Amino acid sequence: MIMAETTSPAPPIASRVEHIFPTLTSAQMARISAHGRVRQMRPAEVLVEQGDSGVPFFVVKAGELEIVQPSGPTEILVTKHGPGQFTGEVNMISGRRSLVRMRASQPGELIELSREQMLALVQADSELSEILMRAFILRRVELIAHGMGDVVLVGSSHTAGTLRIKEFLMRNGHPYSYIDLDRDADVQGLLDRFQIAAADIPVTICRGSVVLRNPTNQEIADCLGFNDAIEQTHVRDLVVIGAGPSGLAAAVYGASEGLDVLVLETTSPGGQAGSSSKIENYLGFPTGISGQDLAGRAYNQAQKFGAQMMITRAARGLSCERKPYAIEAHNGATI
Ligand SMILES: Cc1cc2nc3c(=O)[nH]c(=O)nc-3n(C[C@H](O)[C@H](O)[C@H](O)COP(=O)(O)OP(=O)(O)OC[C@H]3O[C@@H](n4cnc5c(N)ncnc54)[C@H](O)[C@@H]3O)c2cc1C
């Protein structure tokens, strides 16, 4: 049953539409089908709820899927997927929680792959890998550009905490919407609804329900489930400390050679390079690249090969007395 009325249109996405929402050929769909299963969908069936983890990958064979973002009592329509189109954005590779709700707007048939099956597909099929990865990354870029995430930041550009949280979300490539206490006229209604006092800011509201007052980066990461999909207890082939350029390179090369890789990062991928507006001397980029772009590319590349990234998890100690070696994280966990 549809609980909320979809009131707002999707923000216009004028350029690159064919790359953001490509339509697969029947031959490509047949190759995807071989990795998963075919299932039916009923009208109004909610296949994925915002905040769900372990989200499957769907390709529409027949019918229509609508992708919406819950927004208070209403919804914002993000897009609709018809036959040959597929779901997912960058969270599909990282395994993080869904930013959107996926609902059948027409009855139909889907190809369903688990995230693991989808990762196996992109690692084995270079043509589909290019189409899917490009679409996932461009969709995330659009979500960031339109502030369509699962968290609202209420703050003031005069407070250091607000700037810290903005930087944390931005450098982690996480879409958010921002409400400025000093500039947005209709902020009072929101403050009243969530019982937020001006002195509480910065405040984050996760998935429209969890209110965090002046949260640490780790509290935000935990609330948004940045690390939920990561199994912390099993023994890894390679643990990388730090997701700067060298850590990300180690993760890409390790994971692409088939190693089971985990990266621990204190704040966000990119390290020092993440704050560089233009790096001119990085191999393979003759016109230069911003540190943020470089980090984002390497981060997605590492995750495509299956490397996992734990954010806001600093390593505090290394224990090599016996095997397997262990790393002590700052929260007392042993990896
Ligand atoms: C503004 C700026 C511009 C630059 N421009 C250029 C340039 O144009 N060309 C160039 O060659 N170089 C440039 N550099 C230098 C370049 O960015 C660094 O040499 C490069 O980032 C080093 O990479 P790294 O991965 O070794 O370390 P870092 O970039 O320092 O990354 C280390 C990472 O490890 C994390 N970390 C640290 N301790 C822990 C822990 N205990 N547990 C978990 N994670 C941890 C940090 O948060 C960080 O993300 C620039 C640097 C800056 C600051």
Side-chain angles (χ1 to χ4, degrees):
M1 195 174 103
I2 300 175
M3 299 301 291
E5 193 185 350
T6 304
T7 55
S8 308
I13 301 169
S15 61
R16 302 183 295 184
V17 171
E18 71 277 15
H19 293 309
I20 301 173
F21 301 117
T23 301
L24 301 171
T25 64
S26 48
Q28 289 165 342
M29 286 170 69
R31 297 212 300 276
I32 295 175
S33 211
H35 285 257
R37 68 177 184 119
V38 174
R39 55 160 291 180
Q40 307 299 310
M41 59 176 173
R42 301 182 309 277
E45 179 183 353
V46 175
L47 297 149
V48 173
E49 191 52 87
Q50 187 188 49
D52 279 0
S53 48
V55 174
F57 170 71
F58 296 111
V59 182
V60 180
K61 285 190 81 177
E64 188 182 72
L65 257 183
E66 59 185 8
I67 310 299
V68 297
Q69 266 209 326
S71 175
T74 63
E75 292 176 336
I76 299 169
L77 179 66
V78 179
T79 191
K80 293 184 176 187
H81 294 309
Q85 296 189 311
F86 55 87
T87 61
E89 51 92 45
V90 161
N91 276 6
M92 198 71 243
I93 6 174
S94 64
R96 288 186 188 168
R97 294 183 195 177
S98 177
L99 299 177
V100 294
R101 177 180 293 153
M102 300 181 197
R103 185 172 51 223
S105 42
Q106 289 172 19
E109 200 170 62
L110 300 166
I111 304 168
E112 177 178 334
L113 272 66
S114 67
R115 175 173 164 264
E116 291 70 29
Q117 289 170 323
M118 194 276 306
L119 280 177
L121 172 73
V122 296
Q123 286 165 25
D125 189 318
S126 63
E127 185 198 23
L128 284 169
S129 170
E130 190 177 333
I131 295 168
L132 300 190
M133 288 298 294
R134 189 195 291 126
F136 291 161
I137 291 166
L138 291 176
R139 288 174 188 180
R140 174 55 70 98
V141 168
E142 292 293 333
L143 290 173
I144 291 171
H146 292 95
M148 299 181 82
D150 53 356
V151 59
V152 177
L153 168 62
V154 185
S156 160
S157 48
H158 302 300
T159 64
T162 301
L163 301 180
R164 169 183 56 81
I165 294 173
K166 276 185 169 187
E167 182 177 0
F168 176 71
L169 292 169
M170 189 262 292
R171 289 218 181 167
N172 277 288
H174 196 89
Y176 68 96
S177 54
Y178 175 61
I179 295 176
D180 195 301
L181 205 59
D182 306 319
R183 287 204 304 254
D184 291 306
D186 50 357
V187 67
Q188 194 57 48
L190 186 83
L191 297 182
D192 293 344
R193 195 166 126 224
F194 289 99
Q195 298 175 329
I196 300 167
D200 293 336
I201 62 152
V203 165
T204 57
I205 306 167
C206 305
R207 288 182 294 283
S209 57
V210 183
V211 177
L212 301 175
R213 291 168 170 80
N214 195 15
T216 62
N217 291 345
Q218 186 179 344
E219 285 170 332
I220 298 169
D222 289 346
C223 188
L224 297 176
F226 278 11
N227 303 313
D228 284 359
I230 299 175
E231 164 60 56
Q232 293 185 41
T233 51
H234 81 259
V235 178
R236 306 281 177 160
D237 297 322
L238 176 67
V239 177
V240 180
I241 314 293
S246 38
L248 289 170
V252 168
Y253 292 117
S256 68
E257 289 299 321
L259 299 182
D260 180 354
V261 178
L262 176 69
V263 182
L264 302 183
E265 168 54 49
T266 315
T267 48
S268 51
Q272 296 172 60
S275 58
S276 172
S277 58
K278 189 102 162 191
I279 298 173
E280 299 276 6
N281 60 345
Y282 203 82
L283 189 71
F285 293 93
T287 56
I289 183 168
S290 78
Q292 193 67 48
D293 281 354
L294 182 70
R297 285 169 186 236
Y299 185 62
N300 289 325
Q301 193 178 13
Q303 293 190 113
K304 178 184 92 166
F305 290 118
Q308 295 188 311
M309 311 273 175
M310 289 192 79
I311 301 297
T312 67
R313 296 295 187 271
R316 200 170 62 179
L318 176 64
S319 166
C320 300
E321 289 84 49
R322 56 194 167 96
K323 292 185 176 174
Y325 299 153
I327 289 155
E328 191 191 330
H330 83 290
N331 59 353
T334 301
I335 292 155

